[in-house]
Amino acid sequence: MKINMEKEKKPERKKKPEREKKPAVPKEPKEQKPQHRVITSLVGNLSHALEHEVDADEVSEVHEEKPQAEKYHDREKRPVKYRFFLVFGLVVFWLAIMGMLSVVSTFRELAFDITNQTALKEEFELFLFPVVINDPPEFSGAENMPASVIISSAVWQIILTGDKSNYDRGMATISIPENDVEMAARSIFGSGFDIMHMSSGNIVTPFLYEAETKSYTVPENPPFFTFSPRVSEITSTGDSYRVIVEYIAPNPQFIAGIEYEIEPVKTMIFTITRTKDRNKTIQSIELNKDNEEFIHF
């Protein structure tokens, strides 16, 4: 028996017939959404840019900032008039501000000076009242002043501005110690002179000195029919003041409180020293040469 050494060939499998491939259906292009109107107007349609093959370098060049030199060059192109009016406007504005500050400062100083002068005039008028009542003569230095005027001025100061509550009283009179009269006299004329005590005043307002009691008997509320001071001008040099004083004569209308135009009888110039503590001393009295006519009572 012959052995068939050859392997029996396996029967080949039948191949499945290949399916016929259907032709590819072309895909419909997607509808491109319309871009926003504002964006389209600013940057354009992307597809339009692609169709025209815009170079990226060109796009970057469009958005690239101008060099710094070009910026300054653009500024230099501004009209000269514009820069001139800008500078001129700033100067005018600065001058207006400075002018306003200057006006405010001037008015403030003026108001202060007026207020200060008014208060100072009233202060000197009150100080000079006891002296002007006596109508003293011209003098330079209290040692040249008549003793009767010094005593009378001191007594009048006590009557007008002093504290009379501790004085002994009589029939419409008060008794003033001579020490108080001396203190009042030195507060007016200083301390560089001797005080001689004596009776003074006049028939209507007598100031009687009593050596035994070392006191003055004077009317408590004496009437006065003589001058009153009105300070018209004050100038100062350090502690020294030149005070122009108008002498106002008594008038029935003034006594009755009726307003009228007051004309001075004469004008005197007082030289007065005034310390920081407002202590005042009369150094001299002279007639104002601009008004030499006057009346003595």
Side-chain angles (χ1 to χ4, degrees):
M1 185 175 177
K2 289 181 180 181
I3 298 171
N4 190 4
M5 296 300 287
E6 296 178 2
K7 290 183 180 180
E8 291 181 359
K9 292 181 181 180
K10 291 182 181 180
E12 293 181 359
R13 292 182 182 179
K14 292 181 180 181
K15 292 183 181 181
K16 292 181 180 179
E18 293 182 1
R19 293 180 183 178
E20 294 180 1
K21 292 184 180 181
K22 295 180 181 180
V25 179
K27 292 182 180 181
E28 294 182 1
K30 290 183 180 180
E31 291 184 5
Q32 191 171 2
K33 292 183 180 179
Q35 295 182 356
H36 196 278
R37 200 185 317 169
V38 177
I39 298 175
T40 304
S41 64
L42 292 176
V43 299
N45 196 319
L46 181 58
S47 62
H48 180 73
L50 292 173
E51 288 174 6
H52 288 79
E53 298 181 356
V54 179
D55 191 358
D57 294 336
E58 292 178 0
V59 174
S60 63
E61 287 177 6
V62 171
H63 293 284
E64 191 178 12
E65 282 192 1
K66 292 182 179 180
Q68 197 71 13
E70 289 185 15
K71 284 185 178 180
Y72 288 118
H73 181 68
D74 290 346
R75 288 182 186 176
E76 289 175 359
K77 288 180 180 179
R78 291 181 180 178
V80 178
K81 267 187 184 179
Y82 173 79
R83 285 181 288 171
F84 170 77
F85 282 118
L86 178 62
V87 174
F88 180 75
L90 291 174
V91 171
V92 170
F93 179 74
W94 182 78
L95 291 175
I97 294 296
M98 294 302 295
M100 187 183 300
L101 293 175
S102 177
V103 169
V104 170
S105 177
T106 302
F107 272 107
R108 185 173 59 184
E109 291 176 2
L110 182 61
F112 176 78
D113 289 342
I114 292 173
T115 304
N116 191 43
Q117 276 282 318
T118 301
L120 193 62
K121 285 179 180 180
E122 291 176 353
E123 180 183 336
F124 276 112
E125 285 173 358
L126 184 62
F127 171 71
L128 293 173
F129 209 129
V131 180
V132 174
I133 285 175
N134 295 281
D135 188 18
E138 298 180 74
F139 81 96
S140 178
E143 64 277 6
N144 300 320
M145 176 71 73
S148 60
V149 174
I150 292 175
I151 296 298
S152 183
S153 299
V155 172
W156 270 112
Q157 187 193 67
I158 294 171
I159 292 171
L160 294 173
T161 62
D163 182 8
K164 304 184 290 290
S165 59
N166 296 326
Y167 295 152
D168 295 333
R169 282 176 168 74
M171 292 294 294
T173 61
I174 56 174
S175 180
I176 303 175
E178 67 175 23
N179 290 336
D180 288 359
V181 174
E182 286 184 10
M183 289 177 60
R186 298 200 184 283
S187 69
I188 298 172
F189 299 103
S191 57
F193 63 97
D194 295 329
I195 295 177
M196 184 183 296
H197 291 283
M198 62 177 64
S199 296
S200 62
N202 51 45
I203 297 174
V204 180
T205 56
F207 303 146
L208 303 177
Y209 177 67
E210 297 179 5
E212 295 179 359
T213 59
K214 293 185 177 181
S215 62
Y216 287 84
T217 301
V218 302
E220 187 173 6
N221 297 302
F224 58 92
F225 299 98
T226 182
F227 300 115
S228 59
R230 184 174 66 188
V231 175
S232 61
E233 185 181 336
I234 299 174
T235 54
S236 62
T237 305
D239 294 337
S240 180
Y241 290 78
R242 183 177 182 271
V243 184
I244 298 178
V245 182
E246 297 175 346
Y247 281 48
I248 308 301
N251 188 289
Q253 290 178 315
F254 175 75
I255 295 172
I258 301 172
E259 292 186 4
Y260 70 103
E261 188 176 353
I262 302 174
E263 293 293 337
V265 175
K266 66 177 179 178
T267 304
M268 304 294 286
I269 300 173
F270 286 71
T271 301
I272 302 171
T273 56
R274 179 177 180 266
T275 64
K276 294 180 179 178
D277 298 331
R278 297 188 178 183
N279 295 322
K280 294 173 280 295
T281 303
I282 298 176
Q283 302 296 328
S284 65
I285 303 174
E286 61 180 305
L287 180 66
N288 187 3
K289 303 304 180 182
D290 296 337
N291 186 6
E292 296 184 355
E293 295 182 1
F294 59 91
I295 303 172
H296 279 288
F297 278 77

